[in-house]
Amino acid sequence: MPGIDDRLERDLERAARPAAPDPGATFQDVTRRRARRTVVRKTQTVALVAVVLLGTAAGFAVLQRNFIGADQPESSGSTSTPSPSMAAPAFAPIAIPSDPTKVFMVDGLSSFPVCGGSMIEGNFLGTGPTYAYVFRKASDAGCDTDTWTVAVQVPSDAAGTKMTFVVGGPLDCQDPSACFVYANPDINGDGQDEVAIVGAQGASTKSFELYNATNGSQGWALNPYIGGDGMPLHFDEGGSATHQAGTYCDDSTGLRRFVSWEATSSDGTTFDVTETPYAIQEGLTASTQRHLTASADALPPHDLDGCGGSIQNSVP
Amino acid sequence: MNEVELRDFLRERYPRLVGAVALVTGDLASAEDAVQEAIVRAWERSDRGEEIALLDRWVATVAMNLSRSRLRRLRVERLARPRLSEPLAVEAPTSDRLDVVRALAALPRRQREVTVLRYYLDLSTSEIANEMHTSEGTVKSQLSKARAHLADALALTDDQENSHAEHR
């Protein structure tokens, strides 16, 4: 009687059933199988390429739509068309991380991540309190782009409980630490605040632009006031012992005027002041400048004095 | 691999490889399917310039892996639907053949594979370990357990086992 090894060798040899006896037929089977695999693989490759191309095209279209909306200051950049008579929004402001380098997404804003946000509350739509923001666009690498955008929360339903954004920009910011929402003045006294945004800041000076939300046939748009050169108007605040600048609103004539001024001095005590009042209709139009002399303690008002609203001096 | 080599391989090695895989899977059709698929893959590799040193071993291992995947898929499909028919009837008993087939079928899959590779395809334990990407110790352990179960199932006596062990 053989041992288990011999027994297994013998029994397995007997038990193994013969395969297809015709090598020619098997060869045909193998050849057909290979041809089928080749076709399947080519089909899969074509399908994969098609999926990748379609995905790329769709992604590109989404990105293009989002960035075009934020990169064209002259375009509407609007997202919805709520009624101006809508009740005050009941939505909460966006929670902005205290770390300005932290990248985060904002629901309803866009598909791109942002960072370095700042916020201010104001009546930017003329319908009640809402919130304005400045965000820096983030990239895959983090908080490192040179593109900033301004956005105002807009109610998107009749009850005012849901919200979306109207977006403007890109903002002309000189560095990340000097790009933030600064104030919510109402420079023309129409009850609707403007968004003042600082784009450059020194030790004792800052330069800001004014963005105004309008509700047209295309919905809400958020655009800066434009100067005669077609560029956004810049207004300065602060200065040195021999050079000062400021902005204020003047109701003394019974007609609200927004005034920007500059003053220079050779001795720090007597200043030559140039005031530029703006006519406020559809936009801002610089009218005849006024020149005067003033002592250091009698310079015109500054920090948007008389324009209402509040000042926010730095990034939160 | 050219056409002549492929035809030679099909004539000389194919039947035995199908038999080996069928012993593991218990199903001749799926064994043939798996072996043919493995041969096609070997052929494609050869056309890409990749060399396969021991073709029959490579085909046997790939075919067993393929059959394992198929069995797993069939098992999932079977669990996913209610039983509509009785299990397939086994072939009529024919003495030794059925004994060893039954005994083999009762083993865990891994033990079945090493048993067939060792006793039917005559691979050494180191060759099996190499093909199955495992250690030789694991193969010996699996073989030892398989032998014990098969000896019991085939009603070999302890004396027969002991006398054989002494001879080895």
Side-chain angles (χ1 to χ4, degrees):
Chain A
M1 190 81 178
I4 183 64
D5 293 291
D6 297 335
R7 170 86 185 270
L8 284 173
E9 286 175 2
R10 185 199 71 195
D11 286 0
L12 287 175
E13 196 66 44
R14 290 179 185 170
R17 290 166 288 191
D22 183 1
T26 307
F27 179 79
Q28 294 299 326
D29 286 346
V30 170
T31 306
R32 272 196 298 272
R33 186 184 289 267
R34 180 174 181 181
R36 194 165 59 241
R37 271 176 64 88
T38 304
V39 170
V40 168
R41 190 177 295 118
K42 282 181 179 171
T43 306
Q44 286 173 336
T45 303
V46 170
L48 181 63
V49 168
V51 167
V52 169
L53 288 177
L54 283 173
T56 304
F60 180 77
V62 168
L63 288 173
Q64 191 179 40
R65 190 179 60 211
N66 289 331
F67 278 88
I68 280 177
D71 288 352
Q72 292 181 346
E74 298 302 324
S75 66
S76 67
S78 61
T79 51
S80 69
T81 57
S83 164
S85 61
M86 188 176 287
F91 44 76
I94 301 300
I96 297 175
S98 56
D99 178 1
T101 63
K102 183 175 175 58
V103 175
F104 60 104
M105 296 294 294
V106 178
D107 289 340
L109 175 62
S110 66
S111 61
F112 55 82
V114 296
C115 54
S118 59
M119 179 197 76
I120 193 168
E121 183 177 342
N123 185 11
F124 301 111
L125 307 174
T127 58
T130 183
Y131 307 94
Y133 305 85
V134 165
F135 293 115
R136 186 181 189 182
K137 287 184 181 177
S139 71
D140 291 341
C143 189
D144 63 350
T145 75
D146 291 325
T147 305
W148 285 264
T149 187
V150 55
V152 171
Q153 265 177 301
V154 177
S156 61
D157 64 339
T161 54
K162 295 180 180 177
M163 62 88 187
T164 181
F165 289 88
V166 54
V167 179
L171 305 177
D172 183 17
C173 293
Q174 292 186 355
D175 65 75
S177 65
C179 197
F180 57 92
V181 281
Y182 167 57
N184 60 320
D186 178 10
I187 62 168
N188 57 2
D190 66 351
Q192 180 180 346
D193 294 345
E194 286 75 40
V195 189
I197 299 168
V198 169
Q201 184 172 234
S204 58
T205 59
K206 56 176 62 73
S207 176
F208 65 90
E209 299 175 6
L210 291 168
Y211 274 74
N212 185 40
T214 54
N215 192 15
S217 59
Q218 299 297 311
W220 283 102
L222 189 58
N223 291 310
Y225 286 125
I226 303 297
D229 58 359
M231 299 298 291
L233 288 167
H234 289 268
F235 306 99
D236 298 322
E237 288 285 358
S240 64
T242 57
H243 186 273
Q244 291 284 321
T247 50
Y248 67 97
C249 290
D250 176 22
D251 287 329
S252 61
T253 61
L255 184 66
R256 171 72 72 98
R257 294 187 312 160
F258 173 65
V259 182
S260 168
W261 58 268
E262 278 190 274
T264 57
S265 172
S266 56
D267 57 9
T269 56
T270 304
F271 284 81
D272 292 325
V273 181
T274 301
E275 285 192 330
T276 305
Y278 286 88
I280 309 165
Q281 291 177 340
E282 294 300 316
L284 294 183
T285 305
S287 56
T288 305
Q289 290 184 327
R290 187 167 72 113
H291 299 278
L292 59 146
T293 301
S295 61
D297 57 357
L299 289 170
H302 55 89
D303 285 335
L304 289 161
D305 186 54
C307 297
S310 59
I311 299 289
Q312 181 170 302
N313 282 307
S314 62
V315 178
Chain B
M1 187 194 299
N2 57 36
E3 185 178 330
V4 175
E5 289 171 333
L6 178 61
R7 286 184 184 278
D8 288 346
F9 184 82
L10 290 174
R11 187 174 56 251
E12 293 166 10
R13 301 300 300 163
Y14 177 78
R16 194 162 188 82
L17 289 173
V18 171
V21 178
L23 282 172
V24 173
T25 63
D27 178 52
L28 184 61
S30 72
E32 251 193 302
D33 186 51
V35 171
Q36 286 190 10
E37 183 71 18
I39 290 171
V40 168
R41 293 186 183 189
W43 193 1
E44 289 174 342
R45 279 179 172 239
S46 172
D47 282 357
R48 290 199 299 266
E50 297 176 36
E51 193 173 340
I52 299 173
L54 298 162
L55 185 60
D56 51 348
R57 274 189 220 165
W58 190 91
V59 169
T61 309
V62 171
M64 284 186 185
N65 290 338
L66 288 170
S67 67
R68 190 183 305 136
S69 304
R70 287 198 176 97
L71 282 176
R72 193 176 297 136
R73 196 164 61 239
L74 285 172
R75 200 175 301 133
V76 171
E77 288 174 0
R78 201 170 296 150
L79 287 171
R81 67 184 179 213
R83 288 174 181 277
L84 298 176
S85 60
E86 291 298 312
L88 291 174
V90 295
E91 293 179 14
T94 55
S95 67
D96 288 352
R97 180 178 180 280
L98 183 57
D99 289 342
V100 76
V101 168
R102 274 181 173 163
L104 203 58
L107 293 178
R109 168 84 189 206
R110 203 74 171 165
Q111 291 181 25
R112 232 181 305 155
E113 288 180 358
V114 296
T115 302
V116 170
L117 290 171
R118 174 71 187 88
Y119 293 107
Y120 184 68
L121 292 182
D122 297 323
L123 269 63
S124 68
T125 52
S126 64
E127 289 169 338
I128 295 170
N130 188 45
E131 293 301 326
M132 296 182 76
H133 302 293
T134 187
S135 69
E136 199 172 341
T138 302
V139 173
K140 285 179 178 173
S141 166
Q142 295 283 325
L143 266 179
S144 174
K145 289 176 185 171
R147 286 175 70 252
H149 281 109
L150 290 169
D152 187 46
L154 296 174
L156 289 176
T157 64
D158 290 343
D159 291 342
Q160 289 169 334
E161 264 294 88
N162 291 336
S163 69
H164 177 75
E166 287 169 9
H167 281 95
R168 291 175 74 88

